[in-house]
Amino acid sequence: MRSGEIESRPVALADRAVAHVLADTQSEASLYPRVLEAIGITLDWELGLIWEAPEDEGDALTCVEVWCSPSAGDGVAEFGATSLHTVLERTQGLPGQVWATGEPSWIVDFSSRAEFPRAERAAATGMRSAICSPVRSARGILGAIEFFSSRKREPDAELLVALASLGSQIGQVVERRRAESRAQDAGKRHEAIVDAALDCIITIDHRGRVLEFNPAAERTFGYSARQAVGRDMSELIVPPSLRELHREGFARCVRDGGGELLDSRVEIVGMRSDGSEFPVELTITRIDVPGSPRFTGFVRDITGRHEAEAELRASRTRIVEAADESRRRIERDLHDGAQQRLVNVGLGLRLAHARLGESPDETGELLEDALRELTQATAELRELARGIHPAVLTDGGLEPAIAGLVSGSRLKVRVEEVTDERFTPSAEAAAYFVVAEALTNVARYADADEAAVAVRREGGCLLVEVSDDGRGGARPDAGSGLRGLADRLAALDGELTVESPAGAGTTVRALIPCV
């Protein structure tokens, strides 16, 4: 038999042994020890070490595993133990050199390599020769595999090639295991995130069948994941009245690869397992996975938000209504109390003055002065009461109340239309004060020749418009009057808009819900 065949037999045995270990070992923790043992025994080395490079491509190798032949002496085992967890920088020592060059290397005698960090310690424990090869994958060099012998061993080219091949096999398996581990970790993280999410996360396939139904969805819709997975989502959580629209929109998403609902937040209605409907906020996104399209919906129950918004609107409405009622009460108190008392005093004074006869003396003059002051005070009190809440609005509605505003205005006002329909006190008060504030602003700031007023019903709203032919350029946020009106209207779910282009007049428009 030729010497080449004799030499190749241990290499072939090592290759088969390593292949068997790689195929048979499931645990990554036991993979390295078994690989080192298989190579060390078949190729007759006494000590084996595995060095790993960091996954973040750092510049240091760490010894992560050591195997020692049972027949090796205590010194060899001691050297292996002291090497474990040792860190070598790139080009440092035999593993660092192999890592830097990417090529296997052989040291015949450590006594000639004093520059290596472990050379003196290796020689002291009886180690003479060493061989090292990179552990390589498609991603690059993952580390190095190193073996020691107490015998002086001459370089063997075939053995170097074989060890490099074994390093590549090991590297491919390690990389695959690491990728699988990363995928498993990512899957576990994804599952943990989905399970912990407060929002409902529902994934469906291209047919609309549920693939994933997280715990938040279980709590919100009343189905368990087992009940939901595999079912048509539209039949599960979409109200019957919306199912046809949902199916049409979903079919467009699948066919065209997009749609209006994708990647945007919308408010729609969802349905629980008991058939009850509730408002939800929905965002749908397409998952970038191979094969048929898949979609994930993020659903949030916004019942609480709607209730809070409704309560806020109701509370604001109550505040406005209470303020209007307070104004009406003050107006009645002034009219029926102090104002009436002043009127009675005036009548008494006039009666006293009339009885003084044809020759009024000094007392008569005093009575004249008192009457004038009383008349002026009554007029001022009446004007104050009208500003707080006009009695004519309470008694006659918008038509006579706005007629009073127009007649008292300092500029020409054209009344185009004022409805004689009666509305809620809050709606009438809002409309009245819109007209009053707008006419006041026209008179003060617009430099207008004429204004126009229209108040009419449009559907379920009361429309109020006040326009002028002034200079325009009005800013709705510049004064407190219009801001106050906007707040009053917002409390009634109304809306105030101001159109005021420079040089083209101003139009104040209010929409006040009245049904």
Side-chain angles (χ1 to χ4, degrees):
M1 185 177 293
R2 288 173 298 178
S3 60
E5 292 177 346
I6 297 174
E7 290 295 331
S8 65
R9 186 178 300 166
V11 171
L13 290 175
D15 188 69
R16 287 196 297 271
V18 170
H20 177 74
V21 169
L22 296 178
D24 186 56
T25 305
Q26 300 300 319
S27 170
E28 188 172 349
S30 60
L31 177 64
Y32 283 161
R34 292 190 62 187
V35 164
L36 291 173
E37 181 182 26
I39 297 174
I41 289 177
T42 54
L43 297 181
D44 193 23
W45 294 89
E46 299 168 52
L47 181 67
L49 301 91
I50 291 281
W51 299 80
E52 275 192 353
E55 292 193 51
D56 60 359
E57 299 183 358
D59 287 328
L61 282 175
T62 302
C63 181
V64 296
E65 191 62 60
V66 172
W67 165 82
C68 186
S69 170
S71 61
D74 293 340
V76 176
E78 180 184 348
F79 177 63
T82 57
S83 295
L84 187 62
H85 306 310
T86 296
V87 177
L88 297 176
E89 296 180 1
R90 191 181 294 271
T91 73
Q92 190 178 26
L94 183 59
Q97 200 173 71
V98 167
W99 185 27
T101 62
E103 298 294 333
S105 183
W106 192 303
I107 293 178
V108 176
D109 192 345
F110 270 105
S111 62
S112 64
R113 306 302 295 267
E115 76 276 12
F116 279 7
R118 297 173 299 148
E120 185 176 346
R121 195 187 335 161
T125 56
M127 295 293 97
R128 297 288 301 277
S129 298
I131 187 174
C132 186
S133 179
V135 175
R136 190 189 305 272
S137 73
R139 190 172 64 88
I141 297 178
L142 304 181
I145 186 168
E146 183 182 36
F147 288 93
F148 290 87
S149 174
S150 59
R151 295 183 293 109
K152 185 176 180 180
R153 301 182 61 163
E154 297 296 331
D156 185 328
E158 183 182 11
L159 186 55
L160 283 171
V161 171
L163 193 60
S165 174
L166 292 174
S168 295
Q169 294 180 48
I170 298 167
Q172 291 170 16
V173 172
V174 169
E175 181 62 26
R176 185 175 69 248
R177 298 271 179 91
R178 287 181 178 178
E180 292 171 354
S181 177
R182 287 193 294 268
Q184 290 177 356
D185 291 344
K188 290 177 181 178
R189 286 196 300 272
H190 167 78
E191 184 177 351
I193 292 170
V194 169
D195 287 350
L198 298 178
D199 288 348
C200 309
I201 300 177
I202 304 171
T203 300
I204 58 177
D205 62 16
H206 65 287
R207 299 173 300 169
R209 302 284 178 178
V210 176
L211 302 175
E212 187 174 39
F213 205 76
N214 77 330
E218 293 179 321
R219 294 190 297 269
T220 299
F221 291 99
Y223 297 100
S224 67
R226 177 179 294 181
Q227 292 172 316
V229 171
R231 291 183 58 180
D232 187 317
M233 189 193 73
S234 63
E235 295 181 358
L236 200 68
I237 65 173
V238 178
S241 60
L242 300 177
R243 285 176 189 166
E244 193 59 34
L245 288 174
H246 164 78
R247 289 184 175 121
E248 291 175 0
F250 182 68
R252 284 195 299 272
C253 285
V254 174
R255 182 182 64 248
D256 303 335
E260 294 180 0
L261 289 181
L262 284 184
D263 302 317
S264 61
R265 295 182 185 272
V266 295
E267 289 191 14
I268 60 171
V269 178
M271 183 183 71
R272 296 187 177 90
S273 59
D274 60 5
S276 61
E277 298 181 4
F278 64 106
V280 299
E281 183 181 76
L282 169 67
T283 303
I284 301 176
T285 183
R286 179 170 176 171
I287 307 174
D288 186 14
V289 293
S292 301
R294 293 186 181 183
F295 303 86
T296 292
F298 301 89
V299 184
R300 178 175 298 174
D301 182 353
I302 56 174
T303 302
R305 183 201 300 175
H306 277 209
E307 290 175 348
E309 290 173 351
E311 176 56 30
L312 177 60
R313 288 193 297 269
S315 66
R316 292 172 68 180
T317 300
R318 289 193 296 270
I319 291 171
V320 170
E321 290 176 346
D324 288 340
E325 177 58 32
S326 296
R327 290 190 181 95
R328 288 191 293 271
R329 178 180 55 77
I330 294 171
E331 184 273 331
R332 288 194 302 269
D333 291 346
L334 289 173
H335 180 275
D336 299 337
Q339 185 175 324
Q340 191 62 42
R341 187 180 298 277
L342 288 173
V343 171
N344 290 337
V345 171
L347 290 174
L349 288 173
R350 287 185 184 279
L351 181 61
H353 181 266
R355 290 178 179 177
L356 290 176
E358 297 295 330
S359 303
D361 55 9
E362 185 178 352
T363 304
E365 293 179 2
L366 292 174
L367 288 173
E368 285 282 358
D369 291 341
L371 281 170
R372 282 193 299 271
E373 289 293 326
L374 187 59
T375 300
Q376 185 175 354
T378 302
E380 291 179 357
L381 192 59
R382 186 178 294 113
E383 182 65 20
L384 175 62
R386 186 181 70 82
I388 294 173
H389 191 91
V392 66
L393 179 63
T394 302
D395 298 337
L398 287 168
E399 190 174 25
I402 290 176
L405 284 175
V406 170
S407 64
S409 178
R410 299 200 303 267
L411 76 158
K412 182 180 178 182
V413 180
R414 184 178 72 256
V415 179
E416 295 180 343
E417 178 185 0
V418 176
T419 179
D420 60 359
E421 185 181 352
R422 296 305 303 266
F423 302 92
T424 63
S426 296
E428 289 185 344
Y432 174 85
F433 285 113
V434 167
V435 175
E437 181 67 24
L439 289 179
T440 299
N441 287 343
V442 172
R444 288 180 178 175
Y445 311 116
D447 194 20
D449 295 325
E450 185 181 50
V453 175
V455 181
R456 62 181 178 271
R457 174 192 279 273
E458 281 200 358
C461 290
L462 182 60
L463 174 65
V464 180
E465 285 186 341
V466 180
S467 58
D468 65 70
D469 59 0
R471 61 190 176 190
R475 292 177 51 198
D477 59 345
S480 60
L482 287 178
R483 286 202 301 270
L485 288 178
D487 290 342
R488 172 188 280 271
L489 292 174
L492 302 175
D493 281 341
E495 181 181 355
L496 182 75
T497 58
V498 179
E499 298 176 3
S500 187
T506 299
T507 298
V508 176
R509 183 178 293 107
L511 275 175
I512 308 166
C514 58
V515 292

